[in-house]
Amino acid sequence: MAEIPRHHLAWVDPGITPADLLPGLEAAPVEAVLDWIALGRPAIARRSGPCDAPGGVPLGVPLPPRRGKRRIAFSVPAQRIAAVRAPLLLEEAIASLPPAWRGPLAHLDAGLHLLGLTARVYGSASWQHLTGEPYVTPDSDVDLLLEPGERKVLDGALALLSRWEREAGLRADGEVVLPGGAAVAWRELALGRGMLLLKHRRWLELWPRSRVLALLERAA
């Protein structure tokens, strides 16, 4: 199996056993992970770390607030992955979010579509939709995932997001996925920072802003 991009959703074979969870976890997290999988809920693909077993697929699940919202990292053998899909579309998740958020988010989604962008979500907005449990609080952000592909689309998206936050009174966090698969926080780009933190599939790296933008200019 090819590596699963960060933020993609992965369903694990419900027949998985504690011995399949790599690396070993304490008894309580193992039970929580197995319960999560038995409910038919997906895990999220994450960046691999030094403690991950070689050959395993690094995943994570966030327990709901009623269970402490604990984030549990684990990995499984690739053959135990039953299905994979891209992160939820923003338009899929909107109906599960607070009523006061729905209109502003639908407006944002429409504006991004006009730019040629498909907005996806991860984080609390995604988990609330996927599980039916309350993950979103009045202080929550909406975590967006955008893949602009070229510089002029990125510039339009950054301007739109900044304007939307001011007008809607809500906060959007999230990442811009660059050609090649690395990602950078959209807010860091909007703030014009000279050095940007790139999140690769397996590591983190600081790049000059000019080098990051050059990826989009070459792609165009």
Side-chain angles (χ1 to χ4, degrees), residues 79-210:
Q79 63 268 28
R80 286 298 198 173
I81 301 295
V84 177
R85 64 154 286 178
L88 288 179
L89 297 170
L90 174 57
E91 62 186 19
E92 291 180 274
I94 285 176
S96 301
L97 298 177
W101 289 24
R102 296 173 191 169
L105 285 171
H107 182 71
L108 173 62
D109 192 44
L112 291 168
H113 272 295
L114 288 175
L115 293 171
L117 279 170
T118 299
R120 297 184 180 274
V121 293
Y122 60 99
S124 59
S126 175
W127 293 118
Q128 182 152 307
H129 181 81
L130 289 165
T131 67
E133 300 218 34
Y135 278 76
V136 174
T137 71
D139 298 324
S140 293
D141 305 326
V142 179
D143 293 307
L144 300 175
L145 203 62
L146 303 173
E147 193 166 354
E150 55 182 293
R151 175 68 184 274
K152 65 178 182 179
V153 177
L154 172 65
D155 291 343
L158 296 180
L160 174 61
L161 286 165
S162 298
R163 183 171 66 252
W164 179 83
E165 285 193 320
R166 292 193 302 269
E167 295 174 352
L170 299 173
R171 181 179 168 89
D173 274 341
E175 299 177 354
V176 169
V177 180
L178 302 165
V184 63
W186 80 262
R187 197 174 302 280
E188 290 190 17
L189 284 163
L191 290 173
R193 292 180 177 170
M195 297 296 293
L196 300 170
L197 180 65
L198 256 67
K199 300 176 182 180
H200 295 275
R201 183 65 182 79
R202 293 179 178 274
W203 69 90
L204 301 174
E205 188 176 14
L206 281 173
W207 274 25
R209 178 185 180 83
S210 58

Side-chain angles (χ1 to χ4, degrees), residues 2-127:
E3 287 191 339
I4 304 174
R6 290 174 57 245
H7 302 308
H8 272 49
L9 301 172
W11 281 261
V12 178
D13 179 356
I16 197 168
T17 68
D20 291 316
L21 297 180
L22 308 168
L25 299 173
E26 298 173 1
V30 166
E31 181 179 348
V33 170
L34 294 178
D35 288 347
W36 181 281
I37 293 168
L39 288 170
R41 296 173 174 177
I44 189 169
R46 59 177 174 83
R47 186 172 56 253
S48 59
C51 294
D52 287 312
V57 179
L59 302 171
V61 298
L63 299 185
R66 66 180 178 82
R67 299 187 65 182
K69 210 172 181 179
R70 177 177 180 178
R71 296 180 179 180
I72 303 175
F74 63 100
S75 59
V76 299
Q79 63 268 28
R80 286 298 198 173
I81 301 295
V84 177
R85 64 154 286 178
L88 288 179
L89 297 170
L90 174 57
E91 62 186 19
E92 291 180 274
I94 285 176
S96 301
L97 298 177
W101 289 24
R102 296 173 191 169
L105 285 171
H107 182 71
L108 173 62
D109 192 44
L112 291 168
H113 272 295
L114 288 175
L115 293 171
L117 279 170
T118 299
R120 297 184 180 274
V121 293
Y122 60 99
S124 59
S126 175
W127 293 118

Side-chain angles (χ1 to χ4, degrees), residues 149 178-179 182 198 207 210-220:
L178 302 165
L198 256 67
W207 274 25
S210 58
R211 186 181 176 189
V212 171
L213 295 178
L215 291 176
L216 293 165
E217 289 161 356
R218 286 202 299 271

